[in-house]
Amino acid sequence: LDSIYLYDKNLVTEEIESYVKKAISKSDNVSHEYLIKYIGRENLKNYGISLGATNTLQINGDFGNTTVYDQMIYMKKLYSMIKTNYKLKSYFINDYGNFIKIDGVTNLHKYGYLNNYFHDVGIFLTDKPYILIILTEHWNNDYKNVIKDISNLIYKCHIGKYKL
């Protein structure tokens, strides 16, 4: 959300852009924490609320809780922005921690990993783009394969090769 905020508010400078790139493409926590301090925790929280999210930074710390609902709001906002902001779009196109990827399909993704949780969210740029949000508590340490399997199943449903 921090990078979406910065680009939406036209606050990205050359210095800030390097933090944005690392926070997105490498999920760098130091960069994320720097950006939150730069933006201001309350500013970012209020921005999330203004978009309709209900859990943005609702707990102490810089990581917070999330929901499918909130992630959908952020991904829809990102999708609206990437149509004109190719630099921001390029940062989300990466393989770092990307277990939702489908070979041959461009997807913009961001993962998050903290304690017992691993989340991967993304936008798949197919003929009919779609958003996939997978939030896990990786209790069996097989979260990479679980996420990959779910992503592949959803893609097959999306292109009509599998019916639920």
Side-chain angles (χ1 to χ4, degrees), residues 35-147:
L35 293 173
I36 288 181
K37 285 180 180 66
Y38 177 80
I39 293 166
R41 194 174 193 288
E42 285 303 308
N43 289 336
L44 189 58
K45 183 176 176 180
N46 290 333
Y47 178 72
I49 291 167
S50 77
L51 295 176
T54 58
N55 287 290
T56 305
L57 299 175
Q58 291 296 324
I59 63 171
N60 291 330
D62 293 336
F63 298 99
N65 291 334
T66 195
T67 63
V68 170
Y69 179 80
D70 285 0
Q71 288 300 316
M72 184 61 76
I73 288 171
Y74 305 150
M75 291 292 102
K76 284 181 177 179
K77 179 65 176 176
L78 175 63
Y79 185 69
S80 74
M81 295 172 72
I82 63 159
K83 295 174 184 179
T84 57
N85 192 320
Y86 302 109
K87 191 170 276 194
L88 179 62
K89 178 181 177 179
S90 73
Y91 299 151
F92 281 93
I93 299 173
N94 66 76
D95 282 337
Y96 192 78
N98 189 353
F99 302 111
I100 64 172
K101 69 181 176 180
I102 302 293
D103 290 339
V105 177
T106 300
N107 84 305
L108 289 70
H109 100 107
K110 176 68 177 83
Y111 88 93
Y113 175 67
L114 182 65
N115 298 326
N116 292 340
Y117 302 98
F118 186 94
H119 306 327
D120 208 345
V121 301
I123 303 169
F124 288 80
L125 302 179
T126 63
D127 291 341
K128 295 179 182 177
Y130 66 96
I131 295 170
L132 179 60
I133 300 163
I134 301 175
L135 309 178
T136 72
E137 185 172 2
H138 57 84
W139 47 269
N140 65 359
N141 285 330
D142 196 25
Y143 60 94
K144 295 175 186 177
N145 288 323
V146 169
I147 289 172

